[in-house]
Amino acid sequence: MSPTINGFFDEVYVVNLKRDLPQRLQMRAQLHRLGIDFKLWEATDGGQAPHLAGYEAYAQQPIGQIDDPKYAQIERKRGTKLIHSPGAWGYMQTYLGLLRHLQARGVGSVLVLEDDVLLDQDFAVRFAALAKTLPSEWMALLLGASQYGWEGIDDAAARGRGYYEARPNETCGSFALGLRADALGPLIEATARMLAPFDFHALAELYAAHPARCLVAYPALAMPDDTWEKEKSEVKVGKPKSDRSPMKATRSPVEMAPRRSSQAAWAKPALM
């Protein structure tokens, strides 16, 4: 029998702010169409108490004074704090809460989908093929990513096996993220420090420590729908509003299941 999402992952979560009903309904329809069972995880609104106070205290800290030489240097080079908005703060708190919840319950593996993700129209077939080629010791599996820096990635080999290894600070995004239980502890520890965005710090550190176990589906099976970002403020989204230029994460078109009329785009965060 071909692997399915619910057969491969112990649990599937969709992250969504309680008041964001349109995204919730569209994600429910999309996943129902694909036969994927999921649970909702209520996102944290970084613009509301008590989280706003935490962000404001962080934002008032001097640039380059955080407790990590690498990220302190990046702050000084950029001349700004790395967590640049209450929405970004809330986004990190969302993942921190979910990861702790999963760890406390002893969940073996999970797929976390953001509420603006678009899945390939042949998702079931393509995921089943990918699941058969993955190494049994995988730790993190991104079903899509914003990839910046292709040097050293063998395109033909990646296409042949259906994935490549994630690169710290070059592989960005967490919109369709699969995790094994042994990834939760390191991610919780890094995220709790609240030094930099989740994919730029916590996930990047995981990729650096376990390069052969952190993988990206290629070509991508998922991508974010940027039309939601155009329609909403970053506080409402509960994650950083894009200040980034659109970019495809793959080198060939990815056919997505119909969901909205406009074309989705990848987005690159300003890192340094």
Side-chain angles (χ1 to χ4, degrees):
M1 182 178 295
S2 297
T4 64
I5 283 289
N6 291 119
F8 189 84
F9 296 102
D10 292 343
E11 295 187 355
V12 177
Y13 277 86
V14 170
V15 174
N16 171 259
L17 278 170
K18 187 175 182 179
R19 63 169 174 257
D20 284 349
L21 183 61
Q23 290 97 310
R24 186 159 63 249
L25 293 178
Q26 291 207 29
M27 276 299 295
R28 180 177 295 166
Q30 179 179 204
L31 296 181
H32 177 75
R33 200 161 50 236
L34 293 168
I36 299 173
D37 296 326
F38 69 96
K39 300 177 181 179
L40 283 171
W41 182 261
E42 185 175 342
T44 298
D45 188 337
Q48 300 295 322
H51 308 289
L52 181 58
Y55 172 73
E56 290 174 340
Y58 161 84
Q60 291 171 6
Q61 296 173 1
I63 292 172
Q65 297 301 308
I66 57 177
D67 186 25
D68 186 291
K70 174 183 175 181
Y71 292 94
Q73 182 179 7
I74 294 173
E75 279 196 350
R76 288 191 291 268
K77 186 173 182 179
R78 291 181 57 185
T80 185
K81 303 297 289 181
L82 297 180
I83 306 172
H84 57 81
S85 70
W89 186 268
Y91 184 65
M92 294 177 66
Q93 291 289 341
T94 297
Y95 270 90
L96 183 58
L98 176 54
L99 295 175
R100 284 172 169 165
H101 172 75
L102 295 168
Q103 186 182 59
R105 293 176 50 243
V107 174
S109 62
V110 64
L111 175 64
V112 182
L113 300 172
E114 294 176 11
D115 64 4
D116 59 354
V117 75
L118 295 169
L119 301 177
D120 189 282
Q121 62 185 4
D122 295 321
F123 183 82
V125 173
R126 290 194 55 211
F127 179 79
L130 172 64
K132 292 177 181 178
T133 68
L134 289 174
S136 60
E137 68 275 11
W138 72 270
M139 190 177 197
L141 174 62
L142 288 75
L143 299 186
S146 299
Q147 182 65 38
Y148 307 93
W150 290 93
E151 186 176 354
I153 298 176
D154 186 321
D155 187 277
R159 289 180 183 277
R161 62 177 176 260
Y163 63 86
Y164 61 87
E165 294 179 4
R167 304 292 188 84
N169 306 132
E170 292 183 355
T171 302
C172 301
S174 56
F175 46 84
L177 176 63
L179 296 169
R180 295 282 282 273
D182 57 347
L184 301 180
L187 289 176
I188 290 169
E189 181 178 357
T191 306
R193 298 178 68 192
M194 300 299 287
L195 297 180
F198 180 64
D199 57 345
F200 186 50
H201 176 223
L203 283 177
E205 296 299 308
L206 191 74
Y207 302 159
H210 306 280
R213 301 183 62 199
C214 299
L215 312 172
V216 185
Y218 185 72
L221 278 71
M223 66 189 298
D225 182 351
D226 72 338
T227 55
W228 288 117
E229 290 196 8
K230 294 176 182 177
E231 296 172 3
K232 302 175 62 179
S233 72
E234 65 182 31
V235 171
K236 288 184 178 180
V237 178
K239 61 182 179 182
K241 184 178 179 181
S242 176
D243 59 356
R244 308 167 289 185
S245 57
M247 178 178 178
K248 291 288 185 184
T250 60
R251 296 171 179 168
S252 61
V254 179
E255 297 297 328
M256 296 296 162
R259 181 174 152 192
R260 294 178 63 83
S261 59
S262 60
Q263 173 66 35
W266 300 102
K268 176 184 178 181
L271 300 181
M272 302 183 189

